[in-house]
Structure formats: C-alpha cells, structure tokens
Amino acid sequence: MTGFGTMQPVLSLEEVSKSFGAVRALEDASLELYRGEAHALVGENGAGKSTLVKVLAGVYRPDEGRLLVEGREEVFATPASARDAGIAVIYQEPTLFPDLSVAENVFMGRQPLRSGRRVDKAAMRRRVEDVLGPLGVKLDPDRVARGLSIADQQIVEIAKALTLDARVIVMDEPTAALSAYEVERLFGVVETLRNRGAAVLFISHRLEEVFGICQRVTVMRDGRRVLSQPLAGLSSDDLVRAMVGRELEGRSSHQGAEGGKTVLSVERLTREGVFTDISFEVRSGEIVALAGLVGAGRSEVVRAVFGIDRYDAGRVLVAGKALRKGSPSIAMAAGVGLVPEDRRLQGLVMELSIASNVGLASLGRLARFRLLRRAVEQRFAGEWSARLRLKYGRLSDPVSTLSGGNQQKVVLAKWLSREPRLLIVDEPTRGIDIATKAEVHRLLVELARSGVAVLVVSSETPEVLRVADRVLVMREGRLVAELGHEEATEHAIVAAATGQREVAA
Amino acid sequence: MSPAPSATGPVQGRGPQPVEGHGAGNPGQPSSTLTWSSRRLLDAILRVREVGIVAVLVVFVAVATSVQPRFIDPQNIKFVFSNAIIYALLALGETVVVLSRNVDLSVGSVLGLSAYLSSDLFSQVHHIPIVAVFLAGLAIGLACGAVNGAVVAVARVPSLVVTLATLYIYRAIDVLIVGGGMVVASTLPGAFLSIPTSSLGPIPYLAIAVAGTVAVGAYVLASFRPGRELYAIGSNPDAARLAGIPMGKRIFWSFVVSGGIAGLAGVLWAATYGTIDSTAGLNYELTVVAAVVVGGVNIFGGSGTVVGAALGALLLATINQALYVLGISSFWDPAIDGALIVLAISLDHWITLRLTRALRKGAVQHAT
C-alpha cells in the first residue's frame, strides 16, 4: 500500500472546520482518499466522524477549509450535488422509500427514460439485477422496500452507489446492525468496489473489521485528525491509544458505599433484537455507569427498566419488589426517576415555565382537591432551584429561555424533588458547557452520598471515570464487562466497548 | 485482501447482532427466500385493495337488488354514474395531492366558483362555444390551484391549513359574486345540458370519458418521473430531498392539477344540475377525501392509485343511491360514509401492522 503519496487523491478535505453554536465539531480536519483503497475512519463517539461524513455528503457546508474532487475545488450546496460529483453515502440507517420498489429506490430522481420521457422500468430492473448479480445478492428489484432487513436496505443503497458509478463510497458504520453472514457479504462488496477503482471510506467501531478490509486508517479525536497512515505495521492497541489520546481528567475520589442495600436489580432482561440477558445491580449510595458505544443498547435498557419500553424476558426489581413491565407510573411510585437523553423532547415541556416544569412530577403533592396551587408550586420550585444553583430570570419564564446546562438542572430538580430511591440519568451532560458539567457531576455525587442509587448512561468516557464507582460496559446489546473503580480506565472501557479484549486493561 | 481473517482474529466469532433478531446469520439460507414470499404477500394485499372495493361494490349492489329489484334499472344505474362522475373526477385530482402527503380541502369551493362563473358565461356572451366555457372553468380551477400550491410550496404552510383557508375564501368569493342570484337551466343551451345525459345504454358517455381520464392519470403517475416523484415525496420526504427531487415544484403542480380538475368538474356540475347558486359543491371536499381514503390511498401519502380512488367514489355514490332506492332516510348517508372511512383506515393500519410483524418475524427466523 505504498505509492499513494505520488497519486492525486480522488477526494480530499483540507483543514475543514465546522461549528454548531459554541461546539466545534470539526477543527482543521483533513482527509485524503485514493482510488482503489478502503480507508478506515475511526474515533470515539463525538470525535467528529459523523460531521465529516455529512460534509462529504453535502448535508453540512463547512465553515472553513476546502473540499477537492480529483484536485478541483467543489462546493456541495445540496446532497444532490455531492451525488452528482460521484460521492455516495451509505448511512447506518438507510433512507429508503418504503412504499416504492427496490429498483425505484435505486433510481429515484434519475430514472432511465425511454421514448416519450416515460420511465424505462425494464431497464431499471435489468440494471439493478446487473449490479446485484455479481455481488451474489438475490433481491427482487420489484419488491417494495418496506420490511427489508437493514442489511438488504444497505444493499439497496450500495446498488444506488454502483449504478451511479460513484468514485467515493462512504459507509457510516455499515456493520452495526448486520449478522456475521451479512457482514461477510458486505466485505465482498467492498472488495468489488475497490477493484473497480472506487475509494471506500469505511467507518466502524470494530477494529477487527478495520484491519480485515482496510488499507489505510485515519483516526479522529476532538474534531481533529490525529493519525493518517497505512494500517500495515499498526496494532489495534496503537489505534485505541490514538483514539483515547487525551490526558485523563481528574476523577472523583469518593468511594461508593459498599455496604449499601441493593436498590435496583435487573435479572436477565432481554428485548429481542435490542438487548440480551442483561443482569446487574445498583446499591444505595453508589453511582453505576453504563458505558458503551452509541447504539450498544444502553438507553434501551434503562428505558425498559423505567417501563417506557417493553421487554420480552427477565425481571426488574426495585428494593426487592418486581416492577410490572411497561408502566412508568408504577416505576415512579416505586421511587425510580429517569432523566432522559433528550431533555428538549422528553425531559421538559419547553413552553411551560420553570416552576411548572420543576413541579411536573410532583403534581399530586402540589394540589389540593385536585386543583394545582400556583403559589405552592412557585415556592416548591424556588426551593429546588436554589438547591441546584439554577441561574434564571424569573420562575415564570418559559424553560426554553434557559441555557442547556440550566435546563438539565430543571430536569434534575423535577426528579430530585420526588426524593427518588433510584435515579437513572441518560447522558447527563450532553451539550452542556464545561462549568455546568462539573456542577452536574457534583450533584450526582452528592446525591449518591445521601443514599440514592444512581445509574448513569454516558458515552463520554471521562465523565464515566469521574463519577462512577462501578462501570458496566455494553456492546451490541450485551453486557461485556464490569469494571470496579480501580480497574476502570479509559483504555479498558474503550477496549471493552469496541471488542478489543486482548488489549490489556 | 480476504475479508475474513485478520491480525486480531476472525470477525464471525463475535458476530454483530442484526436489529431484528440475534445470533449468527446462517450463510446457507440467504434472504432471497424471505423477500420472494413477502413480496408476493404484499403484492396480493395491494391488489386486494382495489379488488376489495369492487367486491364490496358487487355485494352492495346484489343486496340492494335483492331487496329492491328496481335498483338495477338502467335509469337508476345511470343516476348512480352521473353522481359518481363528479366525485370520481375530484378524487382523481385529490389523489395527486394526497400522494405527496398533502391534502386539498378547497375542491368543493373551487367547483362552486367554476360552476357559477362558467355557466353564467352563456348569458353573458351570446353563442359562446361550449368548449370555451369548459376552458373558462379549467382556467378558474388552475388559478385557484396555483394559489394553493404557491402558498404550500413556497411559504411552506401545511396544506391542511392553506386549503382550509381557501375553502372559505373561494366560497366567500363565490357568494360575493352570486349574491342571491342563480343560473337556471333555461339560460343554458340544450347541447350543454345534454352532455351528462347522453349515454350508451345505461352508461353515460361522460362516465366513459371520466374512466378514460382516470386511466390516463394512473398511467402518468405510474410511468413518468414527476408521478413517481410524488409517490417518493409522500413515502419519505427526507429521502426525497436526499435524492434531489424538486419537492416544491412537484407539490405546486399537484395542487394546480387538483384545482384544474375541480374547475372542469364545476362545469360538469353545472351541466348536470342546471341550477347553480352559491351552494354548488358545498361539503364536497369531505366526500372526496372519503372516496380517496376508502379507495385505498394512504392519507399520509406514498401509496394508492387513482383507480382505487375513483372506485371509492363509485362505491360511495352507489351506497347513497341504494339508501334512496331502499327508502332509507338519507340522514344515514354521512354516518355510513364515516363508518367506511374508519373501516378503510383501520384496515390499512391493521394490514401494515400485520405485515411489519410478519416480515420482522421472518427476519428473525432467517437470522437464527
């Protein structure tokens, strides 16, 4: 795999930056793709891989930097212009037209025509068959896309790329939802694409796959490229080190109350196709983190524990009593609180006032004769706002006027005011500035000290290390590791989450 | 480079999990067996949708006839057709709009406006050719549709709101122009009035013409890019945008088509009923949407055919007439239409649920 240096890249990004508000998702990121290579793009969650893909796909326009196709600078105004430049993107969750046939999905917007500008259905079918045949895929071009497995949906997207004669094919975590057989098939496809001279950008968390099919690798961290070189001579340990890279942030010294009573115990919880055989316990006074990659099934597990989603097998016990499944109100009555992942959608009523949001989970206590007393609500909210050091104008302001961090405090106040036995927090500090992040962490630790059992789902390894007494790592719907306070290092968590077990923890 | 073994061990061992199941995939059982059978199942259901309406229609006619043999008198059949014609035509235009996940509630008002203005031309302009009157009706409809389409496509206001507003606005304009007056049959030329009544046996020529128009519409939607793109927009708007479909343009023109058809239907309405005041076409939009939904067009776009919608209109007209012939109060009419809508939508939902479940189960079996 030498000699790339003398060739002209088919596609390159030069020092591209992209910010969303105050968050810099990409910072002077660069990438070169050459004909006939499969190039791996790896990095931790939030390293900027998805943003980079969306820049390539024409979904985002970079704030700074240049994008060159065959050495010529291009500006992609729309996804269609990226497609016309020969760049095809296969997303983890393909976007198909469920009501239309496979062939129509492949050719939508650019159907072959025959006399009278009529769509040439026979040609469409033939060309899809021509493309799928060599891949060894038997997929009827006439069937509708609804009900296709993710693997087959990806095949449809690949067929799209092939009929386009795409020069660059970006695959964003294509194997995340595939069975081993389907992964094999996909690898065959990548090989075929390479032999045709296309460049494949392959994004995956599974390092063994990266080594299996790619020739070169680019590692990203914090929106930047930290490494870009041939894979030959690199070990997976090298990659993990490059992905983690940063100095470890300070971690809390508090040790969990070892002797605390078991508050939550989850026994062999299974939801078909989502998570399998999940068992763990959370004791009072300790913070347990559920770590893993995005899509590993962590949020799904806590949603099932809280009763939002159903599960197929297993039990959830709170303080020794089994919870009926599928009922959040029963979970709440048992003393469980859930701070959801997306506070804007699931945690808050954005148009309502701060006071109303704080009181929302405690309406029973704030009402007399089933009528809500505003004055009591105000007092109640004022108390909790002070305890959480909420920064606000007036309690009657809509919660949407607060910053992200303060909104998160409102959600926390809502649940803390119920004095829960068990608090589940899903991604507690996503999109929150560093100062407020530290405060949220402090709050969680204080809460645990006061005897509450805390279960934190977090994709940010430093956060997990800072707050957790114990770390459970999930991968592909299963619990793959349980790490005590001492064993839990960034390296160990990333290795377990990506399936690199041979890497010494 | 072979995909399987690598420096860090084989891939298969820690096999990734498919979303709809778990366990390692079975290489000996490719997914094609599943796709074939599921496709056949779906095809059958899609076909059943139109066959189903015809079946209901046949049953209804049979029952009505056994109770009251007069029901299949040529005169009665002719009446059913002349009722169904206007609804079927409107349903054709409505389907074009609904396919792209929009709705046009203004069709009844457009019809009313066109019916009065076009038929009034006969007394305003002496010896005006009938074709010119049709063209005038068409132009009125196109203009109304263009306004709807422009606001929906350019200002991006939901079509439900836009066409609810124009439903009232167009009707208000109609009332303003007509005032307390009306066009009466005596001012209309005989040739004009005989358009709906001339027939081949019990089947009016107009019914044949409308059937032809529906067939052309079905062909255009099935075989031309703009037609396919309407389906695509309704099926998944995000994917449509990614595919580079000019969504605004397509949606704009779908409203123009719907408006134009409502304009033409207005002229036919005038010829059929002869007396036109400001209530012409009142509440028609509800029956039209009902016909479209009963005809198997997904109210959220993406699937359905104009043939189904036209059959839906025919079914509703048949039921109306059957109630009349059987001496049941027409009071029951809206209730029965409503029941049919609920039935059609529930059926749709049920089929989709069953199908999704069946396919998912199949996927699990395939994976394990």
Side-chain angles (χ1 to χ4, degrees), chain A residues 30-199:
Chain A
S30 299
L31 180 74
E32 297 84 31
L33 294 176
Y34 295 94
R35 292 176 67 81
E37 73 163 339
H39 189 117
L41 181 62
V42 298
E44 282 198 274
N45 298 328
K49 299 178 309 255
S50 306
T51 311
L52 189 134
V53 167
K54 286 186 172 147
V55 168
L56 292 181
V59 176
Y60 293 156
R61 240 190 284 185
D63 303 332
E64 283 166 50
R66 305 199 303 158
L67 190 156
L68 297 105
V69 178
E70 308 274 15
R72 276 193 324 273
E73 184 166 358
E74 297 259 4
V75 176
F76 295 155
T78 64
S81 45
R83 181 186 72 188
D84 295 342
I87 297 169
V89 181
I90 296 155
Y91 294 100
Q92 191 176 349
E93 280 170 22
T95 44
L96 298 183
F97 304 106
D99 303 295
L100 302 185
S101 74
V102 166
E104 287 208 274
N105 267 286
V106 170
F107 285 103
M108 185 47 72
R110 53 188 185 92
Q111 296 98 329
L113 300 178
R114 57 196 175 115
S115 63
R117 298 193 55 76
R118 287 172 296 166
V119 171
D120 192 341
K121 289 173 195 167
M124 260 170 34
R125 191 175 311 129
R126 205 169 47 241
R127 284 180 59 187
V128 170
E129 274 167 355
D130 286 351
V131 161
L132 294 183
L135 303 181
V137 178
K138 283 203 180 122
L139 196 60
D140 178 8
D142 287 332
R143 72 153 279 169
V144 293
R146 188 184 303 280
L148 283 179
S149 70
I150 298 269
D152 284 341
Q153 290 182 38
Q154 281 175 348
I155 290 293
V156 175
E157 295 278 5
I158 288 167
K160 218 186 271 184
L162 289 171
T163 53
L164 264 171
D165 275 322
R167 315 180 235 228
V168 176
I169 294 149
V170 181
M171 297 186 176
D172 192 357
E173 295 195 44
T175 58
L178 304 192
S179 69
Y181 163 67
E182 292 160 338
V183 170
E184 284 271 338
R185 188 174 72 174
L186 182 75
F187 284 6
V189 172
V190 170
E191 206 55 25
T192 314
L193 291 171
R194 259 180 9 93
N195 291 338
R196 290 165 145 229

Side-chain angles (χ1 to χ4, degrees), chain B residues 117-185:
Chain B
L117 289 179
S118 60
S119 59
D120 196 39
L121 283 176
F122 286 113
S123 46
Q124 303 286 338
V125 186
H126 283 290
H127 305 297
I128 186 171
I130 289 173
V131 176
V133 172
F134 271 96
L135 288 178
L138 176 66
I140 292 163
L142 291 175
C144 291
V147 171
N148 286 339
V151 181
V152 173
V154 180
R156 311 227 168 173
V157 183
S159 56
L160 187 78
V161 179
V162 172
T163 59
L164 184 64
T166 54
L167 179 160
Y168 289 114
I169 294 169
Y170 295 156
R171 181 63 66 186
I173 294 172
D174 193 19
V175 172
L176 218 61
I177 295 172
V178 181
M182 59 172 66
V183 170
V184 290

Side-chain angles (χ1 to χ4, degrees), chain A residues 1 59 79-80 83 91 95-100 104 108-114 116-119 121 138-140 142-144 146-150 152 175-185 187-188 191 194 206-209 211-215 236 270 272-274 276 475-476 478 499-502, chain B residues 1-12 14-32 34-36 38-39 42-43 46 219 222-225 228-229 231-245 298 301-303 352 355-356 359-360 363-364 366-367:
Chain A
M1 298 303 139
V59 176
R83 181 186 72 188
Y91 294 100
T95 44
L96 298 183
F97 304 106
D99 303 295
L100 302 185
E104 287 208 274
M108 185 47 72
R110 53 188 185 92
Q111 296 98 329
L113 300 178
R114 57 196 175 115
R117 298 193 55 76
R118 287 172 296 166
V119 171
K121 289 173 195 167
K138 283 203 180 122
L139 196 60
D140 178 8
D142 287 332
R143 72 153 279 169
V144 293
R146 188 184 303 280
L148 283 179
S149 70
I150 298 269
D152 284 341
T175 58
L178 304 192
S179 69
Y181 163 67
E182 292 160 338
V183 170
E184 284 271 338
R185 188 174 72 174
F187 284 6
E191 206 55 25
R194 259 180 9 93
R206 300 196 183 121
L207 297 184
E208 71 268 9
E209 291 178 1
F211 280 97
I213 60 163
C214 296
Q215 291 78 52
S236 56
T270 296
E272 266 177 53
V274 184
T276 309
R475 188 166 81 94
E476 290 159 16
R478 288 172 188 276
Q500 292 301 305
R501 283 186 210 127
E502 46 275 83
Chain B
M1 191 181 291
S2 150
S6 72
T8 54
V11 174
Q12 301 92 309
R14 277 157 275 163
Q17 314 296 315
V19 165
E20 298 97 335
H22 41 87
N26 182 350
Q29 196 185 10
S31 56
S32 58
L34 168 76
T35 54
W36 276 108
S38 63
R39 190 211 143 191
L42 198 84
D43 268 9
L46 289 179
Y219 186 70
S223 303
F224 289 85
R225 268 191 196 172
R228 301 318 298 162
E229 289 176 0
Y231 279 92
I233 293 167
S235 189
N236 185 346
D238 294 334
R241 200 169 290 119
L242 286 176
I245 292 173
N298 188 327
S303 69
T352 313
L355 197 70
T356 313
L359 286 165
R360 192 169 296 157
V364 172
H366 150 236

Side-chain angles (χ1 to χ4, degrees), chain A residues 228-299:
Chain A
S228 202
Q229 65 181 83
L231 271 164
L234 285 175
S235 69
S236 56
D237 212 4
D238 294 333
L239 289 189
V240 170
R241 207 173 299 129
M243 282 158 67
V244 173
R246 73 177 93 76
E247 290 299 308
L248 292 186
E249 290 177 35
R251 56 191 305 181
S252 67
S253 55
H254 93 281
Q255 281 292 313
E258 299 275 320
K261 276 190 302 195
T262 299
V263 175
L264 171 72
S265 85
V266 173
E267 295 176 356
R268 314 207 58 162
L269 210 62
T270 296
R271 184 169 186 216
E272 266 177 53
V274 184
F275 50 81
T276 309
D277 204 10
I278 304 289
S279 301
F280 63 91
E281 291 187 343
V282 185
R283 291 187 292 270
S284 78
E286 74 169 344
I287 302 181
V288 173
L290 207 47
L293 301 170
V294 170
R298 297 162 303 161
S299 297

Side-chain angles (χ1 to χ4, degrees), chain A residues 132-450:
Chain A
L132 294 183
L135 303 181
V137 178
K138 283 203 180 122
L139 196 60
D140 178 8
D142 287 332
R143 72 153 279 169
V144 293
R146 188 184 303 280
L148 283 179
S149 70
I150 298 269
D152 284 341
Q153 290 182 38
Q154 281 175 348
I155 290 293
V156 175
E157 295 278 5
I158 288 167
K160 218 186 271 184
L162 289 171
T163 53
L164 264 171
D165 275 322
R167 315 180 235 228
V168 176
I169 294 149
V170 181
M171 297 186 176
D172 192 357
E173 295 195 44
T175 58
L178 304 192
S179 69
Y181 163 67
E182 292 160 338
V183 170
E184 284 271 338
R185 188 174 72 174
L186 182 75
F187 284 6
V189 172
V190 170
E191 206 55 25
T192 314
L193 291 171
R194 259 180 9 93
N195 291 338
R196 290 165 145 229
V200 178
L201 182 66
F202 186 84
I203 298 162
S204 179
H205 281 299
R206 300 196 183 121
L207 297 184
E208 71 268 9
E209 291 178 1
V210 165
F211 280 97
I213 60 163
C214 296
Q215 291 78 52
R216 292 202 311 140
V217 64
T218 292
V219 179
M220 291 190 67
R221 190 203 316 145
D222 301 331
R224 296 167 176 276
R225 169 165 79 175
V226 291
L227 179 152
S228 202
Q229 65 181 83
L231 271 164
L234 285 175
S235 69
S236 56
D237 212 4
D238 294 333
L239 289 189
V240 170
R241 207 173 299 129
M243 282 158 67
V244 173
R246 73 177 93 76
E247 290 299 308
L248 292 186
E249 290 177 35
R251 56 191 305 181
S252 67
S253 55
H254 93 281
Q255 281 292 313
E258 299 275 320
K261 276 190 302 195
T262 299
V263 175
L264 171 72
S265 85
V266 173
E267 295 176 356
R268 314 207 58 162
L269 210 62
T270 296
R271 184 169 186 216
E272 266 177 53
V274 184
F275 50 81
T276 309
D277 204 10
I278 304 289
S279 301
F280 63 91
E281 291 187 343
V282 185
R283 291 187 292 270
S284 78
E286 74 169 344
I287 302 181
V288 173
L290 207 47
L293 301 170
V294 170
R298 297 162 303 161
S299 297
E300 289 78 0
V301 168
V302 297
R303 285 169 61 89
V305 167
F306 192 62
I308 299 169
D309 294 342
R310 299 193 155 266
Y311 44 89
D312 300 316
R315 291 203 301 168
V316 175
L317 294 103
V318 173
K321 271 174 56 187
L323 288 188
R324 202 177 79 203
K325 61 178 156 185
S327 169
S329 57
I330 285 187
M332 278 168 68
V336 185
L338 173 74
V339 178
E341 186 176 2
D342 188 332
R343 60 179 167 268
R344 299 182 70 88
L345 279 179
Q346 297 157 3
L348 293 169
V349 186
M350 298 304 285
E351 300 78 19
L352 282 186
S353 70
I354 298 166
S356 301
N357 270 289
V358 171
L360 208 53
S362 314
L363 291 179
R365 279 198 289 152
L366 301 177
R368 182 190 285 162
F369 308 125
R370 301 206 155 242
L371 287 176
L372 189 62
R373 292 169 297 172
R374 291 286 165 197
V376 178
E377 187 186 72
Q378 285 277 332
R379 217 178 311 131
F380 181 81
E383 247 169 64
W384 281 100
S385 303
R387 282 171 75 170
L388 298 191
R389 297 186 210 157
L390 188 72
K391 293 188 188 70
Y392 60 93
R394 278 173 310 176
L395 282 172
S396 54
D397 290 342
V399 86
S400 54
T401 59
L402 297 178
S403 71
N406 281 299
Q407 286 179 6
Q408 186 69 332
K409 285 190 192 171
V410 172
V411 186
L412 281 169
K414 177 171 95 177
W415 288 109
L416 296 186
S417 63
R418 287 182 59 87
E419 285 156 16
R421 257 195 279 227
L422 168 70
L423 190 68
I424 305 172
V425 194
D426 197 354
E427 300 289 356
T429 59
R430 176 172 292 171
I432 288 181
D433 62 281
I434 293 170
T436 320
K437 229 177 210 180
E439 264 191 83
V440 170
H441 292 158
R442 175 188 59 81
L443 266 170
L444 293 177
V445 171
E446 271 182 23
L447 198 64
R449 285 249 176 81
S450 73

Side-chain angles (χ1 to χ4, degrees), chain B residues 89-297:
Chain B
L89 209 51
L90 290 173
L92 166 64
E94 188 72 49
T95 302
V96 174
V97 171
V98 169
L99 281 179
S100 69
R101 209 177 272 193
N102 284 290
V103 70
D104 185 355
L105 293 179
S106 70
V107 288
S109 301
V110 174
L111 181 146
L113 197 60
S114 155
Y116 182 83
L117 289 179
S118 60
S119 59
D120 196 39
L121 283 176
F122 286 113
S123 46
Q124 303 286 338
V125 186
H126 283 290
H127 305 297
I128 186 171
I130 289 173
V131 176
V133 172
F134 271 96
L135 288 178
L138 176 66
I140 292 163
L142 291 175
C144 291
V147 171
N148 286 339
V151 181
V152 173
V154 180
R156 311 227 168 173
V157 183
S159 56
L160 187 78
V161 179
V162 172
T163 59
L164 184 64
T166 54
L167 179 160
Y168 289 114
I169 294 169
Y170 295 156
R171 181 63 66 186
I173 294 172
D174 193 19
V175 172
L176 218 61
I177 295 172
V178 181
M182 59 172 66
V183 170
V184 290
S186 58
T187 63
L188 302 176
F192 182 66
L193 292 170
S194 68
I195 291 172
T197 50
S198 52
S199 63
L200 185 72
I203 303 171
Y205 285 119
L206 206 51
I208 298 168
V210 168
T213 311
V214 169
V216 169
Y219 186 70
V220 168
L221 285 174
S223 303
F224 289 85
R225 268 191 196 172
R228 301 318 298 162
E229 289 176 0
L230 283 178
Y231 279 92
I233 293 167
S235 189
N236 185 346
D238 294 334
R241 200 169 290 119
L242 286 176
I245 292 173
M247 292 175 68
K249 196 169 140 189
R250 293 285 171 264
I251 289 170
F252 172 79
W253 284 105
S254 73
F255 278 97
V256 172
V257 167
S258 175
I261 287 177
L264 279 179
V267 185
L268 290 177
W269 196 94
T272 307
Y273 296 100
T275 307
I276 305 107
D277 61 13
S278 63
T279 62
L282 202 63
N283 294 337
Y284 268 40
E285 58 283 340
L286 299 178
T287 310
V288 171
V289 173
V292 167
V293 171
V294 169
V297 177

